Amino acid sequence: MFSLSIMITLAFLVSAIMALVTLMTSEKSSKEREKMTPFECGFSPMKKSRAPFSLRFFMVTLIFLIFDMEVSLVLPMGLLQESSSMFSWSFTVLTVIFILIWGLLHEWKNGALSWV
């Protein structure tokens, strides 16, 4: 028990000393400050924050997220077939597929899928 507490204390001291030595010997530069700024989607953090972005890109992103959720709903349907009655499984599958097709037709009608 005594040797375990000595080893834990020794490990803590060695790691603390290494961290302090690293902090004291590291070279600070002005580029490091730039690395610490947020970088998102290729936008420069030095520009104004409310820069306009492409609405087409936003729509494609939303459609992708919706499609991703659709896939996560449809994939487990095969596993549900064994644990439920055939009627309730068929009703659930047909309802989900109807909602997906209805959403696709709505997006198509509103022109969200046109690439012009």
Side-chain angles (χ1 to χ4, degrees), residues 9-84:
T9 306
L10 187 63
F12 178 74
L13 285 175
V14 168
S15 61
I17 290 171
M18 289 177 65
L20 286 173
V21 167
T22 303
L23 286 174
M24 287 190 285
T25 60
S26 65
E27 184 178 321
K28 304 282 183 192
S29 67
S30 61
K31 290 182 181 181
E32 184 175 319
R33 195 157 133 222
E34 181 67 28
K35 288 181 185 177
M36 298 303 288
T37 60
F39 180 77
E40 299 178 31
C41 302
F43 295 114
S44 174
M46 299 302 172
K47 291 184 180 176
K48 62 182 182 173
S49 62
R50 297 289 179 187
F53 61 96
S54 172
L55 190 59
R56 175 68 54 193
F57 176 75
F58 182 70
M59 288 300 294
V60 168
T61 305
L62 283 180
I63 291 171
F64 173 75
L65 288 175
I66 292 169
F67 177 74
D68 196 30
M69 290 303 298
E70 292 169 359
V71 169
S72 67
L73 287 174
V74 170
L75 280 178
M77 290 290 184
L79 297 174
L80 291 175
Q81 182 180 10
E82 298 173 1
S83 64
S84 62

Side-chain angles (χ1 to χ4, degrees), residues 56-57 59-60 63 104 107-116:
R56 175 68 54 193
F57 176 75
M59 288 300 294
V60 168
I63 291 171
L104 177 67
E107 290 170 358
W108 193 353
K109 180 182 152 193
N110 287 337
L113 299 176
S114 65
W115 295 100
V116 179

